[in-house]
Amino acid sequence: MGGAFVAAAILARLGGRIGLPTIPLFILAGILLGPNTPGFVLLEDPHDLEMLSALGLVLLLFYLGLEFHMDDLKTGGKKMVIAGCTYLVLNVGAGLAFGFALGWGTSEALVLAGVLGISSSAIVTKILVDLGRIGSPETKPILGIIVVEDIFLALYLAALQPVISGSDGAGETAWQIAKAFGFLLLLAVAARWGTKIIGRLFATKDDELLVISFLGAAVLVSGIAEQFGVADAIAAFMVGLILGNTSSGERIRELVHPLRDAFAAIFFFGFGLSIAPGDLPSVIWPVLIAVLITVVMNVGAGLVTARIYGFGALPTANVSTTLVARGEFALILATMAAAAGLDDRLSPFIAGYVLILAVLAPLVAGRSHWLARVLPGGKDALAEHAEAEVPEPEPAGSGR
């Protein structure tokens, strides 16, 4: 674990000198020091960091929930659902069509629909934090789309597992979906009506007790959620949403920062450990086509979202590029596919696809103004944005 932290820190510091984002560098550290590349191997078994990686994902989504206020759901719920459903229809639909076009099989196509259709909550969150966009107007729709995605994810996983394994009938599938939906409904009720009671339970002036309390709540609820077939990510988000609206919310936001950053680094490092670069050449063309499809679908979804919210060119480009990343969910699907004995090409395909987009997403999100230039009204919007950032000259005689 110490080696993972140090390796991630060294590569991130070197990359920072030339302006590279930290996410691909953390992943690169995992690839270089993992069992799938020649040279020194820090960890033979990526599962050794599995619990720490899970904690990194939980803390990233918990922080995301802290930043998402109940007022955002009350005032923009309808727009959020429309934007999220549009994103899912375009991306999951394209993924399903691509899966059938490859001809690997129906179960494989269903897996690829999820791989291409669901963005990485962890990477999207990290991008928003690193680029300082948490407070930007277009961030609320981005977070809304992630919420809709994660709710869809809970139901999708519950339905997919019996389908690809072929071991359970329709009754078991319906039961799994009902359990997942019921648990999500319970969390939603707590977020809507239980904030005051929960706030009193967490009220304390002692920072140590507050850290232990919110960390325990986030991890415990995430673990219980998995038992009900709900992704730990959405459960952690809901806990953050609840606690962020209590009287302790602002203090929790400050206290969770170092925990979030440290364990997020381990999450992306562990992500790199699971990738085998040597398997990529056999599926490189399908991977590149899938990356192109994802970029095109995200731009299309960004344009629709912009129309719903009345955004200009630059916010539209920010939405389109930030949600490109694919990550932890795709790797979960790769594991499920391998356990179910599906096509052997799925695992290297998913690894290559995720790796390229995990590296590409932070880079293109930081240069979203390039996309904005080619969108309608983009050049004028960028000119106005540049003028707004130029500080006004100090008046003569101000003494400065």
Side-chain angles (χ1 to χ4, degrees), residues 79 82-84 86-87 90-91 138 141-142 145 294-324 368 371-378:
K79 289 182 178 179
I82 294 173
T86 300
Y87 186 91
L90 289 176
N91 285 274
E138 68 273 12
I142 291 172
I145 290 171
T294 301
V295 172
V296 171
M297 289 298 106
N298 272 266
V299 172
L303 290 171
V304 174
T305 302
R307 181 171 292 274
I308 293 170
Y309 284 88
F311 287 152
L314 188 56
T316 301
N318 289 342
V319 173
S320 300
T321 55
T322 304
L323 288 165
V324 162
S368 57
L371 173 61
R373 290 182 188 278
V374 301
L375 296 177

Side-chain angles (χ1 to χ4, degrees), residues 95-96 98-100 102-116 156 160 163-164 333 337 340-347 349-350:
L96 186 63
F98 176 73
F100 281 120
L102 283 178
W104 292 354
T106 300
S107 294
E108 287 78 2
L110 292 172
V111 171
L112 289 172
V115 171
L116 271 67
Y156 174 79
L160 182 67
V163 171
I164 65 174
L333 284 176
L342 300 187
D343 196 297
D344 291 338
R345 291 169 290 186
L346 270 179
S347 291
F349 170 85
I350 293 173

Side-chain angles (χ1 to χ4, degrees), residues 35-61:
N36 299 309
T37 50
F40 176 72
V41 176
L42 181 66
L43 281 167
E44 291 286 353
D45 187 358
H47 293 293
D48 289 343
L49 288 182
E50 191 170 22
M51 183 60 69
L52 295 175
S53 296
L55 185 57
L57 177 62
V58 165
L59 287 171
L60 276 169
L61 271 294

